[in-house]
Amino acid sequence: MFAEPEKFLFLCAIDNTMRPTIAQKLARRQAKKPGFLYDILVKGVIPILSKSVSPTFTYKARPGEDKGPFVLISNHASRVDYLYTAPVCWPRRLNYVVGYNEFFLWPTCILLNGVNVIPKKNFTPDVHSIKQMIGIIRQGGCICIMPEGMSSITGMAQPVMPGGGALLKKLGVNVYYTKISGGYLANTKHYLKQRNGKTEVTVDQMFTPEELAALTPLEIEDRMNRLLAHDDYIWNKEKQFAYRDKGDGMAAELDTLLYLCPKCGAMHRMACEGDTMRCTACGNTISIDNRYNIAAVGEGSVCPELVTDWTLLEREKAAADVRQPGFSYSGHVRIGRLPKYRKLGLGQTSRICGDGTLMLDAEGLHFNGQQDGEPLSFNIPTAQLPTFGMCTDISRFYTFVDGEFIEFFPDGRDALRWDHLVEEMHRFRGGRWQNTEYRHEG
C-alpha cells in the first residue's frame, strides 16, 4: 500500500510531534462557567445516585440564594462528595477543583471537561490552576474547593493545605462550607465498594468579604480547620447508623488501613476475613460490625475504642520513628506515569513504566531506578513534600517531581505507612503543613 515505508514512518513521526499532548491541552485550557449539562447532572443524575446514601441537609445559610460570585469549601469525605455539595448551591453552578490526574482517565475526562472542572496538581504549586479559579470568580461564577487536597484516608479530616487562606483572601468573596458526616463510612478509602447508609450535611457561611479582608491568611486557615474538623467514627459512635456491606465482610481490606497490631506492635501482620481481623504474629483478634464498632475478640485480645484511635497509634509510631537518629525507610516500588496522548482505561491511575528503590530519610524522598529502560533518580526535600496523594484505595501513592506526576506501587501493603512517615517527617523538620491540635468539633 505504501511504496515508501520509510517516508510514511517519517511523516507519522512529524505528525506526532505536532500533535498536542494531554498535558499541553490542559495547560492551554481556559475555564468557563458550567453550562446546561451541569443542570442535568444536578437535577437528574445526582438525586438517583444519592438515594443509596440518604443525605439529610441542615441549612444555616443558603449559598444558592447568593447572587454574586462565591466559594464553597468542604471537608473531603469521599470520592463522591459532589453528591453533597452540588445540591446545596442549586441553582448556582459550581466549577469544581479536581485532581489534575483525573483528566487523564477515560471516560471520566469527558464528564470533567463537560462541566468545566478546574484541574489542580495536588500538594504542589500550580499557578495555572489558581489563575483559572480567579478567572471564574471574575466571571461572576462560583468554585468548590476541598482544601485537604485528597479524600479522607482514615475518616478524619486532615488540616487544610497551606496557601488556602491567601487564596480566599485574594478572591475576597463570600465563602460557604459544607461539613459532610457519614460520607467516608459509605465510601471508605480502603474498600472501594460503596456501603449504602445514612449521611448528614451541614451548610453554613464561613467568611464574609469583610472578614477575609480583616483576617490574616493563617487566621483564615485556622478557622477553616476548626469548622471542617470532623471524624466519621466519633460521629457514628453516637448516631449508630448501619452501612450495608457487599458480601465481603466489614473487615475487607481493613488491614491496609489498620496495619499496626495494637497488642504486639507487629507491622502488616493483620489478616482479614469476614468481619474479623487477626494478627498472625500474636493472635490478637478484633471484630467490626456494620456500624463500624470494633471490639476485641477472645481472652487476651486488645482493641482501641475507635478505628481512628487505631490510626492515631500508627501515626504516633511514625512520628516517633522519624525522630530516631539515622532514620531511613526504603522499599522496592514500581513507578507509573500519566500518558502523553491516549487516555487511561477503567481501573488505571497511571501507566507502569519502571521500577526502583524508594527511600525516605531526614533529607527527603529519594528514588533510584529506571524508567522505560533508562536510568532515573530524583530527590525531593522534606519541606517540599507534605504528603502523598492516593488516587483510589490504599495500595499506591503519588507526588509530582518537577511538575510531572509520578505514582508509586510498593511491593508490600505499606502505602499508608509511607504516607504517615512522609507527613511526620515533614512536620518534624519544620514543614509548613503542621497538624492541628483538635480532631473533632461539633
Side-chain angles (χ1 to χ4, degrees):
M1 181 176 179
F2 297 101
E4 300 179 77
E6 293 84 1
K7 182 178 180 180
F8 171 70
L9 292 173
F10 176 71
L11 291 174
C12 287
I14 294 177
D15 180 67
N16 203 42
T17 59
M18 296 177 66
R19 177 185 174 192
T21 65
I22 301 171
Q24 289 171 335
K25 291 178 181 178
L26 288 174
R28 298 169 187 170
R29 187 172 177 269
Q30 297 300 313
K32 300 177 182 179
K33 293 191 291 184
F36 184 60
L37 175 60
Y38 184 93
D39 301 343
I40 295 174
L41 294 172
V42 174
K43 300 304 290 182
V45 178
I46 285 181
I48 296 172
L49 298 177
S50 296
K51 290 181 179 179
S52 60
V53 290
S54 308
T56 299
F57 297 92
T58 300
Y59 289 90
K60 299 179 181 179
R62 291 190 175 270
E65 297 177 356
D66 193 324
K67 303 302 182 183
F70 66 79
V71 176
L72 181 73
I73 300 288
S74 181
N75 64 313
H76 206 345
S78 73
R79 54 193 170 274
V80 296
D81 288 342
Y82 56 87
L83 298 179
Y84 314 113
T85 50
V88 306
C89 295
W90 181 260
R92 301 301 304 276
R93 299 167 178 167
L94 296 171
N95 285 86
Y96 282 84
V97 180
V98 172
Y100 175 84
N101 49 291
E102 300 290 337
F103 283 79
F104 292 75
L105 310 182
W106 179 271
T108 304
C109 59
I110 298 177
L111 180 60
L112 298 183
N113 284 308
V115 293
N116 292 306
V117 167
I118 299 172
K120 169 71 172 71
K121 294 181 178 180
N122 291 334
F123 315 123
T124 193
D126 189 342
V127 175
H128 181 70
S129 176
I130 299 299
K131 289 181 177 179
Q132 300 301 294
M133 295 182 225
I134 294 172
I136 291 298
I137 293 298
R138 288 178 176 171
Q139 294 174 40
C142 311
I143 59 176
C144 179
I145 303 172
M146 296 178 185
E148 297 166 73
M150 178 177 59
S151 60
S152 177
I153 298 174
T154 65
M156 285 186 289
Q158 284 269 59
V160 303
M161 280 289 146
L167 174 62
L168 292 183
K169 191 173 178 69
K170 182 174 181 61
L171 296 177
V173 296
N174 282 322
V175 179
Y176 301 91
Y177 75 97
T178 56
K179 179 177 283 189
I180 304 165
S181 302
Y184 175 86
L185 301 183
N187 287 277
T188 70
K189 195 78 167 180
H190 61 274
Y191 179 74
L192 294 182
K193 296 179 184 178
Q194 181 169 286
R195 289 169 170 162
N196 299 349
K198 184 67 178 173
T199 54
E200 295 179 342
V201 184
T202 299
V203 188
D204 203 351
Q205 185 157 10
M206 184 176 279
F207 299 103
T208 65
E210 293 74 22
E211 288 174 315
L212 290 173
L215 296 170
T216 68
L218 289 179
E219 289 171 334
I220 293 170
E221 289 174 10
D222 181 69
R223 185 184 297 184
M224 293 167 70
N225 278 322
R226 291 184 183 277
L227 291 177
L228 297 178
H230 182 71
D231 184 324
D232 258 7
Y233 292 96
I234 292 177
W235 170 80
N236 205 43
K237 181 183 178 183
E238 175 187 347
K239 298 289 184 176
Q240 287 296 289
F241 291 133
Y243 294 82
R244 295 183 292 278
D245 73 67
K246 301 296 183 179
D248 300 323
M250 293 297 291
E253 303 296 329
L254 191 57
D255 60 309
T256 60
L257 177 67
L258 307 180
Y259 59 80
L260 172 70
C261 176
K263 181 179 180 181
C264 72
M267 296 276 195
H268 313 296
R269 296 292 297 272
M270 304 302 297
C272 302
E273 183 176 358
D275 296 333
T276 62
M277 283 205 314
R278 179 179 179 275
C279 176
T280 57
C282 72
N284 189 45
T285 304
I286 68 102
S287 66
I288 180 167
D289 65 20
N290 64 359
R291 291 170 172 79
Y292 288 95
N293 298 309
I294 55 176
V297 177
E299 185 177 353
S301 290
V302 299
C303 178
E305 183 178 3
L306 299 172
V307 169
T308 38
D309 291 334
W310 196 322
T311 64
L312 289 174
L313 292 177
E314 296 169 344
R315 183 173 292 283
E316 290 168 4
K317 167 67 173 168
D321 287 348
V322 299
R323 286 164 169 77
Q324 295 297 316
F327 167 83
S328 69
Y329 187 77
S330 62
H332 179 264
V333 297
R334 293 175 298 150
I335 60 170
R337 295 283 197 174
L338 295 175
K340 285 190 175 181
Y341 299 103
R342 189 173 181 178
K343 299 290 198 305
L344 297 166
L346 290 174
Q348 291 182 300
T349 50
S350 63
R351 291 209 172 116
I352 303 296
C353 57
D355 72 318
T357 299
L358 191 66
M359 185 182 77
L360 175 72
D361 61 21
E363 301 307 314
L365 189 73
H366 318 281
F367 176 81
N368 283 287
Q370 61 85 25
Q371 177 180 314
D372 295 326
E374 298 293 329
L376 175 68
S377 64
F378 57 80
N379 304 285
I380 308 176
T382 54
Q384 297 176 19
L385 187 65
T387 187
F388 286 124
M390 291 185 183
C391 295
T392 54
D393 59 4
I394 312 175
S395 64
R396 63 198 79 173
F397 48 91
Y398 72 84
T399 190
F400 286 84
V401 178
D402 297 327
E404 297 293 325
F405 177 97
I406 184 167
E407 191 168 31
F408 304 101
F409 297 76
D411 288 352
R413 294 170 71 84
D414 60 344
L416 187 54
R417 170 73 167 161
W418 273 106
D419 189 63
H420 282 156
L421 291 170
V422 161
E423 291 179 357
E424 294 307 319
M425 181 63 82
H426 174 83
R427 289 163 178 168
F428 172 53
R429 300 283 288 180
R432 290 182 61 200
W433 191 54
Q434 294 294 318
N435 208 350
T436 55
E437 63 185 17
Y438 36 83
R439 172 178 172 190
H440 183 274
E441 295 197 358

